[in-house]
Amino acid sequence: MRFHGGSRELDPAFEEFVRARSPALLRTAFLLVGDRGHAEDLLQTTLLRVAWRWSAASAQPEAYARRVLVNLTRDRWRNLSRRVRERHQSDLPQQASLDSADRIAERDALVQALRQLPTRQREVIVFRFYADLTVADTARALGCNAGTVKSYTNRALSRLRELLGEHREIEVQK
């Protein structure tokens, strides 16, 4: 950020970054925390921190933003573990067609399954499969090595298969 006559003016490159990448970063935040309101808050804080450090972040702003997002998410989980659990509600539309309802149910089942994964496994799945990052980029975003990413991915996918298989069994029994 630059200061001009007491007011703050954002770098046009930062503004372009925000316009171009905010939707993807918001999806990533949502998948990490499972709540749209919290995801929006995390994204706003992430973008503010990127803006503050734009001179350092501008070389690879998305990677920098992902790293900030991961750190904020981890801080949030630590803080949540110290208080009463929140109950999440789905963002279901008022009227939905059968196809749309099926897609919403599938998405909801996947989000519920993601919530049940340990934090690191959930982070790996979100970055690898939803943000479409490589193993190396995921490792950089999470501050670990590629072998750790592969290990967490393997364990997380196995657990998701179990959880989603249980979900399908429950649906069939209804």
Side-chain angles (χ1 to χ4, degrees):
M1 279 188 264
R2 297 182 303 239
F3 293 94
H4 292 291
S7 66
R8 294 180 184 200
E9 185 180 307
L10 294 174
D11 185 323
F14 173 74
E15 291 177 351
E16 178 56 32
F17 166 72
V18 170
R19 273 191 297 281
R21 300 309 303 155
S22 286
L25 289 168
L26 179 59
R27 280 190 302 275
T28 300
F30 174 76
L31 290 167
L32 289 171
V33 299
D35 179 89
R36 181 154 178 106
H38 290 300
E40 289 170 349
D41 292 344
L42 286 172
L43 177 60
Q44 289 300 314
T45 304
T46 296
L47 293 175
L48 182 60
R49 290 187 181 182
V50 171
W52 284 338
R53 302 272 306 163
W54 185 247
S55 61
S58 62
Q60 292 187 318
E62 190 161 2
Y64 190 92
R66 283 191 300 259
R67 186 71 185 150
V68 170
L69 187 59
V70 165
N71 290 337
L72 290 172
T73 302
R74 289 176 182 168
D75 290 346
R76 180 178 178 275
W77 289 120
R78 277 187 223 108
N79 291 336
L80 285 176
S81 69
R82 296 183 190 124
R83 65 181 209 192
V84 178
R85 288 274 273 197
E86 296 177 3
R87 295 183 64 177
H88 298 279
Q89 291 185 340
S90 208
D91 293 342
L92 295 174
Q94 294 294 346
Q95 295 179 345
S97 69
L98 187 56
D99 289 338
S100 162
D102 289 341
R103 281 185 282 148
I104 290 168
E106 288 293 320
R107 183 195 71 202
D108 191 48
L110 184 56
V111 170
Q112 293 298 327
L114 280 170
R115 284 186 188 141
Q116 293 180 52
L117 293 177
T119 302
R120 298 292 170 117
Q121 289 179 19
R122 182 177 47 254
E123 291 169 351
V124 166
I125 293 298
V126 169
F127 283 120
R128 287 284 292 125
F129 299 104
Y130 291 95
D132 201 25
L133 298 183
T134 65
V135 170
D137 288 342
T138 300
R140 273 192 293 283
L142 299 177
C144 61
N145 64 47
T148 302
V149 169
K150 291 175 184 178
S151 175
Y152 282 141
T153 300
N154 186 36
R155 282 187 236 147
L157 289 174
S158 293
R159 182 65 181 140
L160 283 173
R161 284 183 195 103
E162 289 173 21
L163 292 168
L164 293 172
E166 291 170 8
H167 168 75
R168 287 199 173 98
E169 288 174 16
I170 291 169
E171 289 296 315
V172 169
Q173 292 174 1
K174 285 186 179 178

